[in-house]
Amino acid sequence: MNLRCLPAILAAAACLTLLSSCANSSVVSLEYVPQPGLMLRGSPDFAVGQFKDKRNENAQTLGHVRLPIGPKVDTIQTRLPVSDVVRNAFAYALEARGMLATEVKGRFILTGDILDLRSQLLVHPYGYARIRVNVVEAASGRVIYTKIHEGERQSNAYRPGSGSPVPVLRDLTSRALQEAVDRALDDTHMRQQTGTSMDSRPRYTPGML
C-alpha cells in the first residue's frame, strides 16, 4: 500500500465512523386519505381481523436512509407496530366506502399477511407495499378470496443538503400502502365473491330532483 495514501484512507474511515455513530431514528405516522370520487362504495358487511407481519424486520421499522457508499444514517420507524398500521388502514378504507360493519361482527372478515412494507433511500426516495389479503366468511370460516396486492411510489433523486428526506419517504410509503389497500377493496373479483355492491351511491335518472 502506498503510505502517502494512508492519511486520506484514515480520514475517510473516520468520516464513515462518525456518520454511523450519528445515525438516529425518525418516528413517522402513515395516513390513509379517502378519495371520495375514486372509491367504490359498498354495504357494511366487513370487519377487520389480524394482519401478520412477515417482513422479517423489526415490528416498527420501515427502512433506513443510507449514504450512497453504504452506512445507514437514519432508521425510519412507525409509532405503532406495522401490523396495526396496516390493519388501521384497511379499517379506515372500509369506513370511507361505507363497508365497515356497524355491528360487532360482520359477514366477512379481512385478514392477511404483510409481505413487504418499506421506505428506502439510496438515490431515489422509495416506498413499497406488498400485502396478501384474505376475505373470510365469518359464519363458516371459509376463505372465499385471497390475492396479493402491491403499491409503489418513487420521487426524484434526493439532493444531499436539501433537508431531511424523512417526510418525503413517509408520504411515499403512505401512498404505496394506500394503493395496495384501495386495489384490494375495489377489486372486481373480491366484490363478486362477497356479493357486495360495487357502488351504493344513488345514480341520476331522469326526473330525479
Side-chain angles (χ1 to χ4, degrees):
M1 180 177 66
N2 190 335
L3 294 178
R4 288 181 297 179
C5 297
L6 185 59
I9 294 173
L10 292 175
C15 181
L16 293 180
T17 301
L18 178 62
L19 286 170
S20 297
S21 66
C22 292
N24 62 352
S25 295
S26 295
V27 179
V28 301
S29 296
L30 303 186
E31 297 179 352
Y32 183 90
V33 181
Q35 303 178 65
L38 301 177
M39 300 183 304
L40 297 172
R41 294 183 60 82
S43 51
D45 292 326
F46 291 82
V48 184
Q50 182 182 16
F51 279 82
K52 298 179 181 178
D53 188 352
K54 295 191 174 182
R55 301 173 304 141
N56 295 319
E57 181 63 89
N58 182 282
Q60 291 175 247
T61 297
L62 283 179
H64 307 286
V65 177
R66 297 182 181 274
L67 297 177
I69 50 178
K72 64 181 181 181
V73 295
D74 202 347
T75 297
I76 302 175
Q77 295 185 308
T78 52
R79 298 184 186 280
L80 300 174
V82 163
S83 56
D84 289 340
V85 170
V86 172
R87 185 179 186 276
N88 290 342
F90 274 97
Y92 291 138
L94 286 169
E95 184 177 37
R97 288 166 170 77
M99 295 171 63
L100 188 64
T102 54
E103 300 178 357
V104 176
K105 191 174 183 180
R107 288 176 55 209
F108 306 105
I109 303 171
L110 283 181
T111 67
D113 300 313
I114 305 164
L115 306 177
D116 204 349
L117 180 61
R118 70 179 187 267
S119 302
Q120 71 179 46
L121 171 62
L122 290 174
V123 177
H124 294 273
Y126 179 75
Y128 179 68
R130 185 168 180 260
I131 301 171
R132 179 184 290 112
V133 178
N134 308 314
V135 177
V136 181
E137 190 176 52
S140 66
R142 182 169 59 100
V143 177
I144 62 173
Y145 169 91
T146 183
K147 186 175 180 179
I148 293 174
H149 293 276
E150 297 177 288
E152 185 176 30
R153 289 290 188 274
Q154 178 175 292
S155 70
N156 296 330
Y158 171 72
R159 291 179 294 118
S162 61
S164 171
V166 172
V168 173
L169 289 167
R170 176 199 62 211
D171 291 344
L172 292 174
T173 309
S174 287
R175 299 291 76 76
L177 174 58
Q178 179 159 345
E179 181 179 8
V181 170
D182 287 345
R183 285 179 172 178
L185 297 187
D186 294 337
D187 182 69
T188 302
H189 182 60
M190 188 278 282
R191 296 296 184 106
Q192 291 172 344
Q193 289 295 101
T194 58
T196 53
S197 61
M198 291 299 294
D199 196 339
S200 62
R201 290 174 298 181
R203 299 187 182 278
Y204 175 81
T205 57
M208 284 181 63
L209 296 179

